């Protein structure tokens, strides 16, 4: 278990879900991951933070009733200057959809999309530093952008956040690690024609679990779906699942745990 401190710029620091039924969504993730909940800033509507052992793990907000938007997990990348990052996104071919706005005393946020249309958030921390605990079941384990190809979008993220791009050498795998200093913090995964047409390019949140097979069964029992059954991967044993409203995420028992 590791308690998180202030995140370096470019590091994934928070994940948040916008759902239609806030109470039912809390019940699903509470049962699956053992989260408890407390209210968070309400600038974008009803919002709660999921907690493990009293430490903040992830956020869940409620979509406006009159907006028929898809539910999805959003990865937030840390910034020391949300306004400056928003301007860099615009100048590099991305789009700023929301913000920068101030979320009470928690910090400032921006909701953006990269040139491929993948949505992500930017978080400038004040009182709320982001995910407060990592490395245990129920916490975010990794964030990966699924896209058609990595070369062009990699240039965008390098320009905006200053990442070092570290391609994985493989004849049949288009995978690039995003590094802050010498540390890989996220990845870009080019999947070509395998990219879901109904979703397009998107960031995928991975959550740590104690037992991937048992967690996948629990997802189904709670009304979710198993989209890709448990399988072994160099990163660990993982499965792709969706909650009852269709928000897709990955569960993983990380290699070495």
């Amino acid at each position: 278990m590791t308690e998180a401190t202030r995140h370096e710029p470019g590091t994934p620091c928070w994940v948040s879900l916008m759902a239609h039924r806030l109470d039912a969504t809390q019940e699903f993730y509470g049962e699956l991951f053992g989260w408890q909940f407390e209210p968070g800033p309400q600038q974008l509507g009803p919002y709660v933070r999921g907690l493990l052992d009293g430490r903040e793990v992830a956020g869940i907000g409620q979509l406006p009733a009159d907006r028929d938007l898809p539910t999805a997990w959003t990865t937030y990348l840390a910034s020391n200057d949300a306004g400056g990052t928003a301007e860099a996104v615009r100048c590099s071919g991305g789009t700023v959809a929301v913000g920068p706005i101030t979320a009470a005393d928690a910090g400032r946020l921006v909701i953006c999309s990269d040139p491929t249309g993948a949505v992500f958030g930017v978080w400038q921390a004040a009182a709320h530093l982001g995910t407060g605990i990592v490395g245990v079941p129920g916490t975010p384990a990794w964030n990966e952008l699924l896209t058609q190809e990595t070369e062009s979008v990699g240039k965008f993220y390098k320009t905006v956040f200053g990442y070092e791009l570290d391609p994985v050498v493989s004849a049949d795998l288009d995978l690039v690690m995003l590094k802050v200093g010498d540390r890989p913090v996220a990845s870009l995964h080019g999947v070509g024609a395998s990219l879901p047409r109904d979703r397009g390019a998107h960031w995928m949140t991975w959550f740590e679990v104690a037992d991937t097979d048992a967690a996948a069964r629990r997802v189904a029992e709670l009304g979710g779906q198993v989209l890709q059954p448990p399988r072994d991967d160099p990163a660990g044993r993982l499965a792709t699942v969706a909650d009852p409203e269709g928000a897709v995420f990955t569960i993983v028992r990380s290699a070495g745990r």
Side-chain angles (χ1 to χ4, degrees), residues 121-226:
V122 175
W123 182 251
Q124 178 185 340
H128 174 61
L129 299 181
T131 304
I133 180 175
V134 296
V136 297
T139 62
W142 191 246
N143 293 269
E144 181 172 81
L145 174 67
L146 295 174
T147 186
Q148 281 197 309
E149 54 84 25
T150 62
E151 184 174 0
S152 58
V153 79
K155 294 175 182 176
F156 167 84
Y157 285 99
K158 180 177 182 177
T159 300
V160 174
F161 293 102
Y163 296 120
E164 177 188 341
L165 304 181
D166 185 13
V168 174
V169 178
S170 171
D172 56 357
L173 185 65
D174 182 10
L175 185 66
V176 176
M177 293 294 168
L178 302 180
K179 298 174 78 172
V180 172
D182 293 330
R183 184 168 63 96
V185 297
S187 53
L188 310 177
H189 189 179
V191 297
S194 298
L195 191 68
R197 289 187 178 182
D198 59 336
R199 298 193 66 204
H202 60 279
W203 279 90
M204 174 79 78
T205 300
W206 298 23
F207 289 100
E208 191 72 45
V209 293
D211 182 327
T212 305
D213 296 73
R217 289 193 295 271
R218 189 67 178 135
V219 165
E221 292 167 358
L222 293 168
Q225 288 182 282
V226 178

Side-chain angles (χ1 to χ4, degrees), residues 35-47:
W35 294 349
Q36 297 177 317
F37 296 92
E38 67 177 15
Q42 308 289 304
Q43 271 74 8
L44 297 178
Y47 187 81

Side-chain angles (χ1 to χ4, degrees), residues 78-134:
S79 170
N80 289 336
D81 178 3
T85 301
E87 186 60 27
V89 166
R90 290 190 191 97
C91 292
S92 302
T95 302
V96 175
V98 177
I101 63 172
T102 300
D105 64 347
R108 300 187 80 208
L109 69 88
V110 185
I111 305 295
C112 311
S113 58
D114 67 26
T116 71
V119 175
F120 65 95
V122 175
W123 182 251
Q124 178 185 340
H128 174 61
L129 299 181
T131 304
I133 180 175
V134 296

